[in-house]
Amino acid sequence: MAVVLRSSPLLWARLAAMIFACVAFSVALHGGYLSHGTGDWCIFCWSFSFAVTLLIVLVELFGLQTRAPVSWKNFPITFACYASLLCLSASIIFPLYFLKGYGGRDETKNYRIVSTVFSCLATIAYLTEVSLSKARPGEVAGYMATAPGLLKVCETFVACIIFVFISDPISYNQNGATKWCLAVYCICFILSAAIIVLCVGEFTGLLPFSFARFLSSFALLAVGMYLSATIIWPIYKFDNKHGGQSTRPNECGRYTGLCPWDKLLAISVLSALNFLLYLADLIYSARLVFVSA
C-alpha cells in the first residue's frame, strides 16, 4: 500500500489542529483537576476532534478515500466545521467554569490557562481548514463544501446547545407556546441532520424528488418556524404578564457558569441566531434552485 504524503496548506492546518487539540486535553487531564461534569464535555470536544482528524489524515496518507463508506467530498469539511464549533464551545465553557473566580493553586490555574489557549488555537486551525476546503465560485464540489452545507452544520450545532439549555432545567413545559418552541427546535434539527447524513452518505440520488427544491422548501419552512420561536420564547419567559421574569434574579450571582435565567436568555439568543442562519440558508438554497433551473 503506497503512502501518499503531499505537503499542502490543508495538511498543515489539519496537523496543527491535531497538535493543538491534543495539547489542550492532555494538559487538562494532567494538571487541570477537572471536578465539574462540564470538564468531561471539554475533554470530549478536544479528544474527539483530535481522533477523527488523525483518522482523516491517515486515510488520505494511505490513499483510502475511495474505500471509505462516506463521501470524501463531503465528510472531511463537515467534520472540520463540527470540530471548529466543538473547540469553540470548549474555549468558551472551559474558562467560564474552571478559570472564572478560581482561587486555588497557581499551578492548576496555569494548566487550565494553557488548555484554554490551545483550545482557541485548535479552533482557529479548524476554521482555517474549513476556509481552505470550502468551494470556490465556479468550482465543482460536494454540497457540504458550499455555504448552505456549512450553514446546516452550524444550524444543527446551535440546536444541540439549545437542547442542553432547555432540558437542564426543563423549561419548555410552561404552556403550549413554549412546547411549540421545542417542536420547532426538534423538527428543524432532525431535518437538517437528515440532510447532512444524506449528503455525507451520498444518498441524495435515491430521493424521489428534486433535492435542490427540497432544500429551498425546507429552508423556507424553517425560517417561518424559527421566526415564531424567536418571538414566542422571550414573550413567555421574560414578560411578567405571561408568567416570565424580566429581571435577572440575585441568586444567579452564586452560580458557577450559567444560572437557569441565563440559560433562558441564551435560548432566546440562540433561537434568533438560528433564525438568521436559516434565513441565509434560504437565500443560498433559493439561488441554487434558480441557477439549476
Side-chain angles (χ1 to χ4, degrees), residues 13 34 45 47 52 58 82 91 130 132 151 163 177 224 239 280:
L34 310 182
C45 291
S47 58
V52 180
L58 291 176
Y82 272 121
S91 301
V130 172
L132 293 171
L151 285 171
F163 292 145
D239 189 344

Side-chain angles (χ1 to χ4, degrees), residues 174-227:
Q174 178 181 348
N175 50 45
T178 52
K179 291 179 181 178
W180 161 252
C181 293
L182 176 66
V184 169
Y185 306 142
C186 292
I187 292 171
C188 293
F189 169 78
I190 292 172
L191 291 177
S192 294
I195 290 171
I196 294 174
V197 171
L198 288 172
C199 292
V200 173
E202 289 192 321
F203 300 130
T204 57
L206 303 177
L207 298 175
F209 46 79
S210 170
F211 184 61
R213 294 190 182 278
F214 167 71
L215 291 174
S216 58
S217 300
F218 165 61
L220 179 60
L221 174 66
V223 166
M225 294 178 71
Y226 256 97
L227 176 60

Side-chain angles (χ1 to χ4, degrees), residues 94-112:
F94 192 78
L96 183 64
Y97 280 88
F98 298 103
L99 283 176
K100 178 184 175 183
Y102 179 74
R105 296 190 307 168
D106 289 340
E107 183 181 359
T108 300
K109 185 176 182 179
N110 291 337
Y111 277 113
R112 295 178 177 182

